[in-house]
Amino acid sequence: MTETNVKPFNLDFDLVTGLSKSTKSTKRHLSKMKGMYADDAAFAAAVQSGDPLVYEFYELDLPETSGNLLFGTSIVYPGKVGNEYYMTKGHFHTILETGEVYYCLSGEGAMLLENPEGDWDLQRFIPGQAVYVPPRYAHRSINLGTEPLVTFFTFRADAGHDYGTIETKGYRKLVIEKDGKPEIIDNPKWK
Amino acid sequence: MTETNVKPFNLDFDLVTGLSKSTKSTKRHLSKMKGMYADDAAFAAAVQSGDPLVYEFYELDLPETSGNLLFGTSIVYPGKVGNEYYMTKGHFHTILETGEVYYCLSGEGAMLLENPEGDWDLQRFIPGQAVYVPPRYAHRSINLGTEPLVTFFTFRADAGHDYGTIETKGYRKLVIEKDGKPEIIDNPKWK
Ligand SMILES: [Mn+2]
Ligand SMILES: [Mn+2]
């Protein structure tokens, strides 16, 4: 959208499924996440046997100015690659000093956060829990449950997405299932 | 908060009531809205007979920078002053060029919007409906139903609140009940 005067508008996002009837989502199948999961053999096998939909989210088309906000839902489906839970790619904002708000509508999971200084954190998502992603923090949603993890997010329209840093370096930490419970481990692939 | 490096954190907001167990709300009783409803006699009578709670909302204490976001819920209770539905004061942002996102969690109502150029709009709130408040638009939530109207909002932390313009001039439009249905009329008190 190039027009600079935005008019009021509305959009529906189902409070349970996160899906919208009025706009189309962007879908991420597992094959688009090559190298991001620790277990390469399990990854290859899962891609081969159907390339599952791992997550989807909504992207609005508003002028990318600092006064506008983009919003929508993110839906991470339940599942694992080896013992690692389904998750989003995760990203920094191109304008690193911009934060983001996530509000969990349904499902169970966590937000994995880390900044370039090496501080990291894991914040829990349960329905009704808001998580604040401060400026400078990369953020990735992880489904730790058996239902879709649905969050509603809002961020500055000019923030931009830097996926490349995570694609190249990876996250410092991973969340895997051990003895039936989530556990945080060092990422063996982290550079 | 004066510290400039914000750490990740979470806050709970009940998906039905909007209330938080971990932080305190700001409450607006009717007496704080003198002159904002059309029917002064009905207003005075309602204040005299108990000064009802009209709405409450959450205000976060984060550094007021353009990279941070403030968020929380707004809860407008059902009721009327004369034939005019319970509503929030409404405000412009001090930094007029900043927008806001509202996502309706429960209840029924509307967002009344107007900009200094005189454009106005009424956007409906039903559960699962997101409403975008573009830069330059004053915004007021109105409860048109019989249950609390609960919305989750996010806006730039430096945006600021200009309540004075609405307190002095009023809105161009009002929403009243006529024949059991909401109707938009010109505000007789608008200056
Ligand atoms: Mn983001
Ligand atoms: Mn506002």
Side-chain angles (χ1 to χ4, degrees):
Chain A
M1 191 182 272
T2 51
E3 183 193 6
T4 49
N5 281 322
V6 181
K7 301 286 179 207
F9 66 88
N10 60 72
L11 272 180
D12 66 291
F13 297 99
D14 188 277
L15 280 155
V16 176
T17 66
L19 297 171
S20 179
K21 293 193 195 85
S22 52
T23 183
K24 244 187 106 179
S25 72
T26 299
K27 293 183 167 62
R28 289 268 186 269
H29 287 264
L30 187 59
S31 56
K32 298 286 182 199
M33 300 181 76
K34 196 167 165 58
M36 305 189 101
Y37 289 87
D39 186 336
D40 290 319
F43 176 89
V47 168
Q48 188 109 30
S49 69
D51 193 15
L53 178 62
V54 178
Y55 66 101
E56 56 189 304
F57 59 100
Y58 292 90
E59 300 181 283
L60 290 188
D61 186 21
L62 289 181
E64 293 175 1
T65 66
S66 68
N68 279 303
L69 297 165
L70 299 179
F71 60 95
T73 48
S74 158
I75 304 151
V76 185
Y77 291 99
K80 289 198 296 281
V81 175
N83 60 4
E84 194 176 359
Y85 297 96
Y86 276 11
M87 60 188 183
T88 62
K89 286 187 172 187
H91 60 268
F92 288 95
H93 290 163
T94 310
I95 301 181
L96 194 60
E97 297 297 335
T98 58
E100 186 159 349
V101 175
Y102 282 76
Y103 181 59
C104 182
L105 305 178
S106 67
E108 268 186 82
M111 176 74 87
L112 184 61
L113 302 116
E114 66 173 52
N115 67 14
E117 291 70 40
D119 300 323
W120 66 271
D121 198 0
L122 188 74
Q123 289 285 335
R124 195 175 169 212
F125 278 133
I126 54 170
Q129 190 87 321
V131 171
Y132 186 58
V133 177
R136 306 186 69 79
Y137 277 83
H139 38 291
R140 157 182 287 173
S141 300
I142 304 171
N143 189 328
L144 302 176
T146 55
E147 303 295 323
L149 172 64
V150 180
T151 52
F152 182 85
F153 58 78
T154 303
F155 62 99
R156 245 171 64 180
D158 63 339
H161 289 90
D162 164 18
Y163 287 106
T165 303
I166 296 294
E167 278 168 352
T168 310
K169 289 173 63 77
Y171 261 79
R172 283 173 169 79
K173 301 288 171 181
L174 295 180
V175 183
I176 60 157
E177 185 184 74
K178 197 178 170 193
D179 303 328
K181 283 187 312 198
E183 185 168 298
I184 303 166
I185 61 164
D186 287 335
N187 180 0
K189 291 183 174 174
W190 183 68
K191 297 177 193 122
Chain B
M1 189 183 273
T2 51
E3 184 193 4
T4 49
N5 281 320
V6 182
K7 301 286 179 207
F9 67 88
N10 61 71
L11 272 182
D12 66 292
F13 297 100
D14 187 278
L15 280 156
V16 175
T17 66
L19 297 172
S20 179
K21 291 192 198 84
S22 52
T23 182
K24 244 187 106 180
S25 71
T26 300
K27 294 183 167 63
R28 289 268 186 268
H29 287 265
L30 187 59
S31 57
K32 298 287 183 198
M33 298 181 77
K34 195 166 165 58
M36 305 190 101
Y37 289 87
D39 188 335
D40 290 319
F43 176 87
V47 169
Q48 188 111 29
S49 68
D51 193 14
L53 178 63
V54 177
Y55 66 102
E56 57 188 303
F57 60 100
Y58 291 90
E59 300 181 281
L60 290 188
D61 187 20
L62 288 181
E64 294 176 1
T65 67
S66 68
N68 279 303
L69 297 165
L70 299 180
F71 60 95
T73 48
S74 158
I75 304 152
V76 185
Y77 292 98
K80 290 201 293 283
V81 175
N83 59 5
E84 193 176 358
Y85 297 96
Y86 275 11
M87 60 189 185
T88 63
K89 285 187 173 188
H91 60 267
F92 288 95
H93 290 162
T94 310
I95 301 180
L96 195 60
E97 296 299 335
T98 58
E100 186 159 350
V101 175
Y102 281 77
Y103 181 59
C104 181
L105 305 177
S106 68
E108 267 185 81
M111 177 73 87
L112 184 63
L113 302 116
E114 66 173 51
N115 68 13
E117 291 71 40
D119 300 324
W120 66 271
D121 198 1
L122 188 74
Q123 289 284 336
R124 195 175 169 212
F125 279 133
I126 54 170
Q129 190 88 320
V131 170
Y132 186 58
V133 177
R136 306 186 69 77
Y137 278 83
H139 37 292
R140 157 182 287 171
S141 300
I142 305 171
N143 189 327
L144 303 175
T146 55
E147 302 296 324
L149 171 65
V150 180
T151 53
F152 182 86
F153 58 79
T154 303
F155 62 99
R156 243 171 65 181
D158 63 338
H161 289 89
D162 164 17
Y163 287 106
T165 303
I166 296 295
E167 279 168 351
T168 311
K169 291 173 61 77
Y171 262 78
R172 285 173 167 79
K173 300 288 171 181
L174 295 181
V175 183
I176 59 159
E177 185 184 75
K178 199 181 168 188
D179 303 329
K181 284 188 313 202
E183 186 169 297
I184 303 166
I185 61 164
D186 287 336
N187 179 1
K189 291 183 175 176
W190 184 69
K191 299 180 191 112

